[in-house]
Amino acid sequence: MKRPSWLLTLGVALLYVFLYAPIVVVIVFSFNAARYGGPWTGFTTAWYGRLLDSPEKLLAARNTLVLAVVSTLFSTVLGTLLGFGLSRYRFPGQKLFSWLMYIPVVIPDIVMAVAMLMFYGLVRQTLGLFELGLATMIVSHVTFQIPFVAIVVRSRLVGMDPAIEEAAHDLGANAWQTFRLVTLPMILPAVVAGGMLAFTLSLDDFVVSFFTTGPGANTLPILIYASVKRGITPDINALSSLIILASVLGTIAMMLAERRQEPRGTS
Amino acid sequence: MARRAAAEVRFGEQLTPRSELLRSALVSGPAIAWVSLFLLIPLVAVVGMSFLTRGSYGQVGLPATFENYRRLAGYGLLGYDPLYPQIILRSLLLAAGTTLVCLLAAFPLAYFIVRLPGRFKNAALTLVVIPFWTNLLIRTYAWQILLGPESLLARLASALGLAPAGQPLYPSTLAVYLGMLCAYLPFMVMPLYSSFEKLDWSIAEAAMDLGAGGPQVLRHAILPQVAPGMAAGVILVFIPAVGQFVIPDLLGGAKTVMLGNAIQQQFGASRDWPFGSAISFVGMALVMLGLLLYARSAARRGEEGLL
C-alpha cells in the first residue's frame, strides 16, 4: 500500500503536539524564575528546593503514597479472588453480581464519590464510624479498584487451559494447593498487571479522594486542585513535573513488563 | 437440569452445589460484600435520598416527594426556570461533542499508527498511552497556562482579531473542549487501534480494484470492520465525559456548568443532599441508558460486550 500522505502525517504530528503541549508546558514552567507564572524570566531549580521545605506538600505526598499502596494491597487480593471465583465457581445470581461488580468501572466518578460521602455521613450519624480522613479514602479507593483487578485477572483465567488444574487435582492436590502452587503462579503476571493498574488509578484519582477525605488528610491531587483554584504557583508546577516523571517511568516500566510476559503467555 | 442437584466436576474437582456455594462465598464473597457495602448500598441510598426533603439547616427528612425531580425539570418554587434542564442538555451536548471530536481525531491517528512499521508502531502507541496515565488534573490546569493572557495561543488569537489582546482564552467553551479532547483522545485511539490492527486490508483493496473511490472504500470496506472499536471508544469517552467536573470547573465559567459541577455544588456549598442525589441519579440513569444502547447494538452485531 502507498505511504501515508503528507497531510495525514502533518495532522498526526499536530495531534501529538496537542497531547504533549500540556505536559511540556508544566515541566518548562517549573524551571521558570518568574514568581507568578507569566512570561519566561530565567532558569531556576529553586521551586524544586522549595518543595522539600513545605511540610504540607511532604505530608500530602506521604498520604498519596500510603493511600495508593494500602488500597492496592487490599484490592489486589480481593480483586484476584473475585476474578478467580467468578470464572471458576458458579453460584445463584452470579450473572447479576458479575454485572453489578462492573458498576464502579462505568459510573461517573462524581456520582460514586458523592454516594460514598453520603454513606459515610449517614453511618457516622448513627454509629459514629467512618470519620472522614485517610481511612475513608482507602476504603473508597479499594472499592473502585476491585473490579479493575478482577477484570484483568479474569481475562487471564479465561484463556488458561483447564487441563492443568485438572491434572493437579488428579495428582492429589487439594483446592488450596492447586490454587497456591498451580493457578496462582500462572496468573501472577495478570495479578501484577492488575495491581499496577489499581496503583495508578489510585495515584490519578482526584474526584473520589476530594469527596471522601477529611481535614488534614490531603493528597497531592487535592493539594494541586486547591492551589490551582487560588492561582497556579511555580512550585505546583515543580510538584506536577515530579508526578509526571513518575507516571512516565511507571508507564514505560508497565509496557516493558507486558512485552516480556507476552511470549510466555501465548505458549 | 437433573444434573444440577448432583455433584459436578469443576476443574478436576467433584463439587456438590453446596460445596460450590461455600467455595464461592469464600472466594468471591469478600469482594462482593465490599463493593456492595461501600458502593451498591450507597447508590441505593442516593436514589432514596433523592425523594427526601431538605430542611432549612441542611438536614434531611420527610416528606417524600418528587419535588427534587420537578425542580430538575425546571419547575421550582419560583415558577419555571430552565437552569437545570439546560445543565442536563449542556452536559449531554458536551459529552456528545467531545465524543465526536475525539472520533474525528482518533480515526486518522489510529490509522496512521497501524500503518507504521513494527518498531515505530509500539513507540507511537506508547506515546499515546503516556498522557493517558498522566494525572488528568495536571493536564487540565496546564491548559490554563497554555491559554493564559501572555501565551502563544492568546497572542495568536488577538493577532488574528479573534480575541482582545492581553486576555486569557479561558474560561470559555472552546477551552473546555480543548481540555476534554486532550483528556479523552487516548480512550478513543486505543480501541480504534486494536480494531484497525485486525482489519482485513484485502477487502479494501478488492473494493478499490472494483472501482470504488476513497469515500466509498471508507464507507463500505473499512468502517464496518472498525465499527466495534468505534463503539467501544464512544462508550469509553461518552460515559466519563457526562460526569466530568474538573475540566468544566477549571476551564469553563458559569456558562459551562455541567451535571458534575451541579452535583458538587449541592453536596458542597449548597448542602442540599436530596437535590444533589436527584441530579446524581439522573447522571447515573443517562450513563446506564447509553450502556444499554451499546449492549443492544453489540448484541445485534453478535459480539461479546465491552466488558
Side-chain angles (χ1 to χ4, degrees), chain A residues 1 15-16 18 20 22 81 85 88-91 106 118 143 166 169 197 200 221 225 229 237 240 251 255, chain B residues 10-13 20 23-24 27-28 34 105 115 124 126-127 131 133 137 141-143 205 239 249 273 287:
Chain A
M1 297 283 282
L15 282 175
Y16 275 109
F18 175 74
Y20 279 87
L81 287 175
R88 287 295 183 263
Y89 304 118
R90 283 184 224 154
F91 59 93
V106 297
M118 220 174 72
T143 311
E166 282 164 21
H169 281 296
L197 181 62
T200 327
Y225 179 77
K229 279 298 209 178
N237 288 330
S240 299
T251 311
M255 301 284 268
Chain B
R10 283 263 183 284
F11 295 90
E13 270 188 301
E20 188 167 3
R23 209 58 86 64
S24 289
V27 179
S28 313
W34 186 291
R115 305 297 301 272
T126 309
L127 281 176
W133 287 123
L137 186 62
Y141 92 69
W143 280 101
E205 280 164 29
I239 287 179
D249 190 44
W273 284 10
V287 164

Side-chain angles (χ1 to χ4, degrees), chain B residues 65-86 88 275:
Chain B
T65 61
F66 283 100
E67 202 44 54
N68 295 311
Y69 290 98
R70 276 173 53 89
R71 192 173 153 202
L72 205 50
Y75 300 97
L77 293 171
L78 308 167
Y80 185 75
D81 177 2
L83 176 65
Y84 287 103
Q86 274 174 357
I88 294 173
F275 188 50

Side-chain angles (χ1 to χ4, degrees), chain A residues 22-236:
Chain A
I23 296 173
V24 171
V25 80
V26 167
I27 297 173
V28 168
F29 273 69
S30 73
F31 294 108
N32 186 357
R35 200 173 166 73
Y36 295 104
W40 182 264
T41 54
F43 180 87
T44 178
T45 53
W47 308 119
Y48 287 90
R50 274 277 197 88
L51 292 180
L52 294 172
D53 299 334
S54 161
E56 184 198 21
K57 294 192 177 81
L58 291 177
L59 180 67
R62 202 196 64 127
N63 282 338
T64 309
L65 272 180
V66 170
L67 170 64
V69 170
V70 176
S71 63
T72 301
L73 287 177
F74 272 94
S75 63
T76 307
V77 173
L78 289 172
T80 302
L81 287 175
L82 179 66
F84 178 74
L86 286 179
S87 67
R88 287 295 183 263
Y89 304 118
R90 283 184 224 154
F91 59 93
Q94 182 181 19
K95 190 130 200 190
L96 176 71
F97 271 109
S98 36
W99 271 104
L100 287 177
M101 288 301 110
Y102 287 126
I103 284 187
V105 182
V106 297
I107 202 171
D109 48 6
I110 183 125
V111 174
M112 181 158 67
V114 296
M116 289 167 168
L117 167 76
M118 220 174 72
F119 175 74
Y120 297 139
L122 294 175
V123 174
R124 197 166 55 243
Q125 279 169 20
T126 49
L127 298 174
L129 293 169
F130 293 126
E131 201 57 54
L132 292 181
L134 193 54
T136 45
M137 271 199 292
I138 291 174
V139 169
S140 311
H141 278 219
V142 172
T143 311
F144 72 69
Q145 288 166 327
I146 284 175
F148 285 95
V149 178
I151 290 171
V152 175
V153 169
R154 200 179 172 186
S155 66
R156 175 92 181 182
L157 278 163
V158 167
M160 236 169 73
D161 186 355
I164 302 169
E165 279 156 295
E166 282 164 21
H169 281 296
D170 291 347
L171 292 170
N174 63 29
W176 166 246
Q177 287 169 325
T178 309
F179 178 74
R180 174 72 194 80
L181 299 171
V182 177
T183 319
L184 190 59
M186 287 181 68
I187 60 170
L188 199 59
V191 174
V192 173
M196 275 155 109
L197 181 62
F199 188 78
T200 327
L201 286 171
S202 171
L203 285 186
D204 269 357
D205 173 73
F206 160 69
V207 176
V208 172
S209 307
F210 182 66
F211 281 95
T212 57
T213 190
N218 276 349
T219 62
L220 288 176
I222 295 175
L223 199 80
I224 291 173
Y225 179 77
S227 311
V228 171
K229 279 298 209 178
R230 284 197 303 261
I232 311 163
T233 52
D235 50 342
I236 284 300

Side-chain angles (χ1 to χ4, degrees), chain B residues 25 30 34 37 58 75 84 87 106 118 130 153 158 177 180 192 211 252 284:
Chain B
W34 186 291
L37 179 62
Y75 300 97
Y84 287 103
I87 288 177
I130 285 175
L153 286 170
S158 73
Y177 266 96
M180 294 289 265
L192 252 187
M284 237 183 332

Side-chain angles (χ1 to χ4, degrees), chain B residues 22-93:
Chain B
L22 185 70
R23 209 58 86 64
S24 289
L26 279 174
V27 179
S28 313
I32 289 179
W34 186 291
V35 177
S36 303
L37 179 62
F38 295 115
L39 189 66
L40 301 184
I41 292 175
L43 287 176
V44 173
V46 164
V47 179
M49 177 68 73
S50 70
F51 294 107
L52 295 182
T53 311
R54 174 191 186 270
S56 33
Y57 302 104
Q59 79 278 29
V60 291
L62 296 168
T65 61
F66 283 100
E67 202 44 54
N68 295 311
Y69 290 98
R70 276 173 53 89
R71 192 173 153 202
L72 205 50
Y75 300 97
L77 293 171
L78 308 167
Y80 185 75
D81 177 2
L83 176 65
Y84 287 103
Q86 274 174 357
I87 288 177
I88 294 173
L89 197 65
R90 194 185 291 139
S91 301
L92 285 176
L93 280 178

